[in-house]
Every structure is written in structure tokens, then in C-alpha cells.
């Protein structure tokens, strides 16, 4: 299934497990190492639309500067969160899997099975 995409961080155990799970099921996804490629505003907006969530819902707090940057403040707008995610891609929760069936932040990894 070449129409599967995973936004992947190889340093993340859950991301590695999700990729392995997809491959174990015979799916070879397109792998995007988003920490290397970064994000664009249209890309994040499209991804949020596919996920059906706000930027706050995919904000990664653990192991990031999110709190120090004021991004955990409920008053922080989606526009501010997206701008921060573009500047520091690690602020996006991972892994995110996109298939013709939909998209999900696959935490736990088994959520990916609902998309294939």
C-alpha cells in the first residue's frame, strides 16, 4: 500500500514501533522524517484538517520547549502554535499516519491498524 504516509521520528520508540507494525502488516509507507524536512503552514493546516483536530491537539509538550514558549497557555492561538511548530518541528506529536481511510496520531502504535 503505497498510499500510506508516516510522519516519523526515528529517535522515538512509539514512532519506530508504529513503522514496524505497518511493515509487519505488509504496508510499506512513505516515511517522512519531519525533523529533517520541517513543516510548512499549508502542510500543517491540511494535516489538522485530515486529523479533525486543532493545533493544540497535536502539540507535543513532553521533551520540548512548549511550556517555556508559552504554548501550553490556553490563550495561545492555533496560529501561534502552528508558527512555533514550523520553527521547531519537534513540537508536533508523533507519529502521525495518513492513509485513504483517514489520519491519526498513533499513540499507541496500534491505532495505525485502524487506518489500513
Amino acid at each position: 500500500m503505497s498510499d500510506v504516509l508516516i510522519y516519523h521520528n526515528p529517535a522515538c520508540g512509539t514512532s519506530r514501533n508504529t513503522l514496524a507494525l505497518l511493515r509487519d502488516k505488509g504496508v510499506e509507507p512513505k516515511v517522512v522524517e519531519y525533523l529533517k524536512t520541517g513543516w510548512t503552514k499549508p502542510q500543517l493546516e491540511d494535516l489538522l484538517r485530515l486529523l479533525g483536530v486543532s493545533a493544540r491537539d497535536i502539540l507535543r509538550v513532553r521533551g520540548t520547549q512548549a511550556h517555556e514558549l508559552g504554548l501550553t497557555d490556553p490563550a495561545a492561538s492555533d496560529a501561534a502554535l502552528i508558527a512555533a511548530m514550523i520553527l521547531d518541528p519537534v513540537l508536533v506529536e508523533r507519529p502521525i499516519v495518513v492513509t485513504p481511510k483517514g489520519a491519526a496520531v498513533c499513540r499507541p502504535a496500534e491505532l495505525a491498524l485502524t487506518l489500513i
Side-chain angles (χ1 to χ4, degrees):
M1 192 184 283
S2 61
D3 49 356
V4 175
L5 176 69
I6 182 171
Y7 292 97
H8 176 61
N9 176 354
C12 170
T14 302
S15 196
R16 289 191 309 270
N17 291 340
T18 303
L19 181 55
L21 182 62
L22 289 169
R23 288 177 171 160
D24 286 347
K25 296 296 181 183
V27 175
E28 185 55 47
K30 178 180 178 191
V31 177
V32 177
E33 291 189 29
Y34 66 92
L35 294 180
K36 290 181 182 177
T37 62
W39 299 104
T40 66
K41 183 178 179 188
Q43 182 184 37
L44 282 172
E45 289 172 341
D46 287 345
L47 195 54
L48 291 170
R49 199 169 12 266
L50 283 171
L51 290 165
V53 300
S54 71
R56 182 166 312 284
D57 294 320
I58 65 166
L59 176 66
R60 182 166 179 83
V61 177
R62 193 173 125 217
T64 73
Q65 296 282 325
H67 185 69
E68 293 81 358
L69 294 171
L71 302 175
T72 58
D73 183 333
S77 68
D78 264 16
L81 296 175
I82 289 170
M85 291 169 176
I86 292 166
L87 291 174
D88 189 0
V90 77
L91 290 168
V92 176
E93 191 60 83
R94 77 271 180 164
I96 298 174
V97 175
V98 179
T99 77
K101 290 186 177 182
V105 176
C106 293
R107 299 186 78 77
E110 290 75 20
L111 286 175
L113 298 177
T114 66
L115 298 172
I116 58 174

